[in-house]
Amino acid sequence: MADKKIIAITGATGAQGGGLARAILADPNGGFAVRAITRDPSKDKAQALAAKGAEVVKADLDDVESLKKAFAGAHGVYAVTNFWEHFSAEKEKAQAKNIAEAAKAAGVAHVIWSTLEDTRSFMAPDDKRMPFLQEKYRVPHFDAKAEANAFFKDVPTTFLVTSFYWDNLFMFGLAPKKGEDGSYSWAFPMGNEKLAGIAAEDIGRTAYGVFKAGQSYVGKTVGIMGEALTIDEMSRKIEKGLGISPVKYNAVEADVYRSWGFPGADEMGNMFQADRDFAKQMLANRNLDEAKKLNPQLQSFDQWLAANKDKVLPATQPAATA
Ligand SMILES: NC(=O)c1ccc[n+]([C@@H]2O[C@H](COP(=O)([O-])OP(=O)(O)OC[C@H]3O[C@@H](n4cnc5c(N)ncnc54)[C@H](OP(=O)(O)O)[C@@H]3O)[C@@H](O)[C@H]2O)c1
């Protein structure tokens, strides 16, 4: 244990960091050890990692000194911020800055920063197709992460460009819903473009591949996905995989989606519109072959669906939206 390289994982009780922690813990001879960072070491998800052999350390992304202590002696840091807890691009950037500063102070050899692209680079500032949000962002949770890349310039970092989690189908209630006529439907402003998706668990598994590959990935940007599919293609796979039909895709306009008013509707409307209008760039930024090389267990949508049928099926029932 003592000679293992410690990976300090922010978000260890969440989807991305949890996937990485589980991947390391499942490979006891891999040469790496988990330091799971959480604001609350007593919570079930932290305790579950401790039971599997992780060291659990308390720290807060808003408190740089707590991060410096949590990163001390670590070989690597997995850096992820959670936009959806506060919906603030500025806060997300401040937290990323704290992580980078603490990693530098601790002399960490390898950071993986979980990032996304700056969607503003796709459009001229006077492009009217989508509104600016939080004054200066097109898709705040993308643009803020991309801006935060600059904080890591003096730290040995791999920039991991992630993809839409298929787990959103049950985590965020995005699964097709059963209507009164017995058919299932879902709506996105995705037109007939392909959306790069991934099993959330595979992000962490791929990050483990990056840590194992080591220094050759420092300074690199690695875009990952499990599969790119149109919503119609996903609908056909859901019909087959879950044994429900028909699943109808309603290709709404982005303005309509943004007008629905649920928390984050404007943010997600802009995000799907960026995924649709700039599909070529979004797909070019993600490399399936490299993701498979780093993570031989990488799942396709069908594989993910088969493994998560018991979670996705209940999410198709109208009650699940309540
Ligand atoms: N959903 C998607 O399709 C998707 C796709 C690509 C990227 N992303 C990005 O993924 C990020 C979220 O990652 P996730 O899905 O892995 O998160 P998650 O499952 O929602 O869990 C959030 C994690 O963040 C930690 N955390 C939040 N605030 C913290 C703070 N102040 N100090 C310390 N830890 C803190 C939580 O730890 P404790 O509560 O234990 O302290 C928890 O482990 C978002 O920024 C999102 O933009 C999402």
Side-chain angles (χ1 to χ4, degrees):
M1 175 83 185
D3 55 354
K4 286 186 174 180
K5 291 177 174 170
I6 296 167
I7 305 296
I9 305 176
T10 64
T13 58
Q16 294 189 27
L20 172 59
R22 286 182 285 277
I24 296 174
L25 293 167
D27 185 15
N29 299 319
F32 291 89
V34 172
R35 184 177 291 166
I37 294 171
T38 173
R39 288 162 294 182
D40 178 7
S42 72
K43 72 197 284 188
D44 288 351
K45 286 185 173 174
Q47 288 299 310
L49 294 173
K52 287 187 188 155
E55 176 191 5
V56 176
V57 169
K58 182 178 163 126
D60 192 320
L61 300 182
D62 294 325
D63 175 358
V64 69
E65 295 306 319
S66 74
L67 292 174
K68 285 180 189 171
K69 284 186 202 137
F71 295 169
H75 163 83
V77 165
Y78 187 74
V80 60
T81 46
N82 185 14
F83 173 87
W84 299 105
E85 184 167 313
H86 45 72
F87 290 71
S88 162
E90 297 308 312
K91 186 165 171 119
E92 184 157 41
K93 285 192 296 184
Q95 292 183 335
K97 188 168 185 280
N98 284 344
I99 298 173
E101 194 181 319
K104 191 175 178 192
V108 166
H110 194 175
V111 173
I112 298 178
W113 164 231
S114 174
T115 189
L116 289 164
E117 45 271 276
D118 194 329
T119 58
R120 293 168 297 187
S121 69
F122 299 150
M123 284 159 273
D126 61 353
D127 193 312
K128 299 276 186 288
R129 80 183 71 203
M130 65 175 72
F132 280 98
L133 302 176
Q134 300 183 34
E135 290 177 16
K136 54 181 177 177
Y137 304 99
R138 296 292 194 170
V139 185
H141 73 286
F142 274 57
D143 304 348
K145 289 182 181 69
E147 257 191 55
N149 290 352
F151 299 132
F152 293 89
K153 70 179 190 319
D154 298 330
V155 189
T157 301
T158 304
F159 300 87
L160 189 70
V161 179
T162 64
S163 289
F164 175 85
Y165 309 170
W166 294 320
D167 309 65
N168 291 332
L169 269 60
F170 56 85
M171 277 171 36
F172 270 122
L174 296 188
K177 293 285 178 300
K178 192 173 187 178
E180 285 176 7
D181 66 353
S183 71
Y184 297 75
S185 65
W186 52 349
F188 298 103
M190 275 301 298
N192 202 31
E193 297 295 342
K194 286 185 189 288
L195 175 66
I198 194 163
E201 192 75 4
D202 275 328
I203 296 176
R205 287 180 187 154
T206 311
Y208 182 39
V210 172
F211 279 125
K212 284 194 290 186
Q215 293 303 307
S216 63
Y217 272 85
V218 167
K220 263 193 164 185
T221 298
V222 182
I224 59 168
M225 64 171 162
E227 195 172 3
L229 295 165
T230 67
I231 308 297
D232 262 334
E233 287 169 339
M234 290 174 81
S235 303
R236 300 294 80 76
K237 287 176 180 295
I238 288 171
E239 285 174 345
K240 212 169 157 201
L242 298 187
I244 61 173
S245 76
V247 174
K248 299 175 189 166
Y249 164 45
N250 188 7
V252 291
E253 266 316 314
D255 280 338
V256 173
Y257 194 94
R258 282 188 283 266
S259 76
W260 286 339
F262 59 85
D266 49 1
E267 172 93 29
M268 285 175 64
N270 282 14
M271 178 189 80
F272 286 121
Q273 187 179 0
D275 281 322
R276 180 193 70 187
D277 293 359
F278 306 101
K280 204 172 157 198
Q281 291 97 315
M282 291 286 195
L283 298 178
N285 288 347
R286 290 159 176 81
N287 185 329
L288 182 61
D289 292 336
E290 186 157 34
K292 269 192 189 147
K293 190 179 83 183
L294 289 162
N295 169 18
Q297 289 174 273
L298 189 79
Q299 296 162 84
S300 65
F301 184 66
D302 280 339
Q303 288 169 319
W304 171 85
L305 198 56
N308 289 278
K309 192 173 173 177
D310 59 336
K311 292 179 184 151
V312 184
L313 204 49
T316 64
Q317 296 306 306
T321 61

